Amino acid sequence: MPRLSEHTLLRVSGWAMIIFVALLAGFLVHLLVISQLAEHRSQRLLYDEFRTELASGTAPVGQVDVHGDLLAMGAPVAVLSIPALGVTDTVVEGTSGRALLSGPGHRRDTPLPGQSGISVIYGRQAAYGGPFRDISHLQPGDTITTITGQGTATYQVLDVRRAGDTAPAMPSATSSRLTLVTAAGVPFASGSIVRVDASLEGRTEPTPQPVLRLGSLTHAEDPMASDPSGWLPMALWLELVLVAGVLLVLALRRWGRWHTWIVGVPVVILLGIEIAQQVVLVLPNLY
């Protein structure tokens, strides 16, 4: 088998490095710019949809919709406001990585905010707007407000919990508590979780009979879980990157260096942008 010359090896290494840098650039563009814009657009559409449901009296008050069907993943279920952090977001149903692309997500096997029991809401720390990036800065006494199909509920922060901390005891079986959950530590690098517990101030709303019980959700909806739906698309996009690399090599021989990079680098950056969304899905859902 003939050996490649040193000059050829250097050229191939250079091409591979340029492709890698272009992919990395696409990933960063998606993470820092496009994902933020996508989350902002999703929030605007979700808020308009939820406001319409509130006006028509069809906003969900439990795990099923007005037709008795289980709420779709990603359906708007509440508006969450944290004045101390300047956060106002529409909460969607579900806590998988895909559901959390649109904003904070309500854990489906817990009651909605304002109802008796512990309502749990997950939010990303950094990607797609990072709506919960600063919840660890909340102080006891800070207020959190939610709006659901049953009205407005005001919570008061009790404490901020980290790994190993004990959850505060519930005063009674009919009391209501809200728990916010996100990743802690260095963004995209830490495996720890921070939780904020808040107690309802005022009347508890009626709680419909649950369809989904605690422990009935898939692993993808647990904290720091990966969404397996991202693996196949990511593999397909990576295959396209390999195809693009081969085409770039062929184009270099036919068109020359500068013509190839002018056409090829933007294509590779776009592939990096598409791969980035799938990477976010397979990373822990609270990132």
Side-chain angles (χ1 to χ4, degrees), residues 15 50 57 66 124 154 211 213 269:
W15 299 339
F50 190 63
V66 292
R124 290 188 180 274
T154 300
V211 177
R213 302 285 182 174
I269 290 176

Side-chain angles (χ1 to χ4, degrees), residues 11-98:
R11 290 186 65 185
V12 170
S13 299
W15 299 339
M17 181 60 67
I18 291 175
I19 291 174
F20 173 77
V21 170
L23 284 173
L24 181 61
F27 182 84
L28 293 176
V29 167
H30 178 89
L31 202 62
L32 301 177
V33 180
I34 295 178
S35 72
Q36 316 299 317
L37 295 175
E39 189 267 350
H40 180 74
R41 179 178 182 276
S42 296
Q43 280 292 307
R44 187 174 67 251
L45 295 175
L46 286 166
Y47 179 75
D48 290 342
E49 180 182 349
F50 190 63
R51 183 175 59 179
T52 300
E53 292 178 349
L54 287 174
S56 62
T58 59
V61 295
Q63 297 176 352
V64 297
D65 58 22
V66 292
H67 305 294
D69 299 321
L70 202 63
L71 289 176
M73 294 276 281
V77 295
V79 173
L80 174 74
S81 178
I82 311 175
L85 303 181
V87 171
T88 299
D89 278 314
T90 302
V91 180
V92 300
E93 184 76 340
T95 53
S96 67
R98 188 171 298 278

Side-chain angles (χ1 to χ4, degrees), residues 63-64 70-74 92-97 99-100 105-111 118-122 181 210-226 228 285:
Q63 297 176 352
V64 297
L70 202 63
L71 289 176
M73 294 276 281
V92 300
E93 184 76 340
T95 53
S96 67
L100 296 182
H106 166 247
R107 186 173 169 97
R108 298 187 298 151
D109 57 357
T110 67
I118 302 176
S119 179
V120 180
I121 296 177
Y122 294 1
V181 185
V211 177
L212 296 170
R213 302 285 182 174
L214 286 173
S216 63
L217 302 183
T218 63
H219 174 65
E221 296 183 67
D222 290 337
M224 302 300 283
S226 172
N285 55 359

Side-chain angles (χ1 to χ4, degrees), residues 251-275:
L252 280 167
R253 295 180 177 179
R254 180 177 294 271
W255 292 348
R257 181 182 302 174
W258 295 112
H259 292 84
T260 300
W261 294 130
I262 289 172
V263 175
V265 169
V267 171
V268 176
I269 290 176
L270 289 175
L271 290 173
I273 289 172
E274 293 295 337
I275 292 171

Side-chain angles (χ1 to χ4, degrees), residues 112-222:
L112 286 175
Q115 299 175 356
S116 60
I118 302 176
S119 179
V120 180
I121 296 177
Y122 294 1
R124 290 188 180 274
Q125 178 196 25
Y128 284 83
F132 281 8
R133 67 168 65 88
D134 294 323
I135 64 169
S136 62
H137 298 157
L138 289 172
Q139 300 294 323
D142 287 341
T143 59
I144 300 173
T145 302
T146 62
I147 301 174
T148 67
Q150 293 174 310
T152 300
T154 300
Y155 289 84
Q156 191 171 78
V157 172
L158 296 174
D159 64 0
V160 176
R161 277 189 292 136
R162 292 177 172 80
D165 293 342
T166 303
M170 292 285 286
S172 68
T174 59
S175 59
S176 176
R177 181 162 294 164
L178 178 67
T179 299
L180 309 181
V181 185
T182 194
V186 179
F188 301 105
S190 173
S192 60
I193 296 172
V194 60
R195 293 177 172 88
V196 174
D197 297 303
S199 180
L200 178 66
E201 301 294 308
R203 183 172 64 93
T204 302
E205 298 293 341
T207 307
Q209 188 68 20
V211 177
L212 296 170
R213 302 285 182 174
L214 286 173
S216 63
L217 302 183
T218 63
H219 174 65
E221 296 183 67
D222 290 337

